[in-house]
Amino acid sequence: SCVKVGVVVIPADDRSTLGAEALCGLEKILRANSLEKQHHKVFFDQGIYITLAIQESFLSSVGTCCELYLSQNSKIVGGIQVADLAAHSLGVMLLEQLGLISKKVRAGENSGYDPDLEIELGFELWASLRYSFFMASQPKSGSIPDDPVGEMIFDVENYGLYISPSSTEQLKKAAIERFGKCYLGCIH
């Protein structure tokens, strides 16, 4: 089985609503990718709180296809550690997009670039995760027939990105610019 990554963006000040927002994001991803009929086990790390009313609302909305496991220990549930790593990497990419951090790494051997070339950390992280996003082909624009670049750009915004309505316009714009589309062609 393959691992897919969905992105949920909420303002840092709204951390207490992370569980509820994660369920909103999960519902969007399940519906957009026609996964709502399949059975899913959904694990939440310790400290992510979801009221019983929100859980019941989510389960009635998506049906009984999801089992929610709350307050799980990441030392026992290894998938949570993978999710934490993905969330950290995505967070670094978003912070870079917002202009709040700027870090560079060397391309290194076997990268397809000069090994000493300095590359933005966000680009390097994106390059390693880009095939894992929930995404779909974009409709053909018709403006450029047989556009090979356009055919390699995929829509993540409508299939794998959920942005909390409480996000500022700046945060929404940065999230869409960073995660809204994904280029799957050659990057070197």
Side-chain angles (χ1 to χ4, degrees):
S1 75
C2 69
V3 174
K4 290 291 182 188
V5 176
V7 182
V8 173
V9 176
I10 68 168
D13 293 342
D14 291 351
R15 173 101 169 82
S16 65
T17 67
L18 178 58
E21 296 287 10
L23 288 178
C24 290
L26 179 59
E27 183 175 355
K28 174 184 177 177
I29 290 167
L30 291 175
R31 291 190 192 291
N33 295 282
S34 301
L35 298 171
E36 66 270 22
K37 302 289 188 220
Q38 297 176 17
H39 184 265
H40 304 279
K41 293 182 179 181
V42 183
F43 295 85
F44 289 88
D45 203 351
Q46 296 168 329
I48 298 177
Y49 180 73
I50 307 171
T51 67
L52 187 56
I54 290 171
Q55 292 174 54
E56 290 172 350
S57 174
F58 168 78
L59 291 171
S60 68
S61 175
V62 297
T64 59
C65 67
C66 291
E67 291 179 58
L68 303 179
Y69 296 88
L70 305 177
S71 200
Q72 298 296 299
N73 184 338
S74 64
K75 292 178 184 174
I76 297 169
V77 182
I80 294 174
Q81 293 175 19
V82 175
D84 282 345
L85 177 60
H88 175 75
S89 298
L90 296 164
V92 168
M93 286 186 264
L94 185 56
L95 289 171
E96 186 177 273
Q97 185 70 39
L98 286 163
L100 299 175
I101 63 170
S102 177
K103 295 188 180 199
K104 303 236 183 211
V105 294
R106 297 210 185 278
E109 299 296 325
N110 302 316
S111 66
Y113 297 99
D114 177 335
D116 292 325
L117 177 69
E118 290 191 342
I119 298 174
E120 293 175 347
L121 177 60
F123 175 82
E124 183 70 20
L125 292 170
W126 168 82
S128 66
L129 282 172
R130 67 188 173 133
Y131 290 99
S132 299
F133 291 116
F134 281 100
M135 62 184 130
S137 301
Q138 296 191 115
K140 304 268 189 243
S141 67
S143 60
I144 304 173
D146 300 317
D147 175 14
V149 172
E151 291 177 10
M152 297 306 296
I153 298 175
F154 287 73
D155 179 357
V156 176
E157 181 178 357
N158 294 302
Y159 293 88
L161 174 62
Y162 171 82
I163 303 170
S164 170
S166 66
S167 298
T168 64
E169 286 305 313
Q170 179 187 15
L171 181 57
K172 288 177 189 176
K173 180 181 178 197
I176 290 169
E177 285 177 3
R178 175 76 272 180
F179 305 116
K181 293 182 179 151
C182 188
Y183 177 69
L184 295 183
C186 183
I187 56 174
H188 53 264

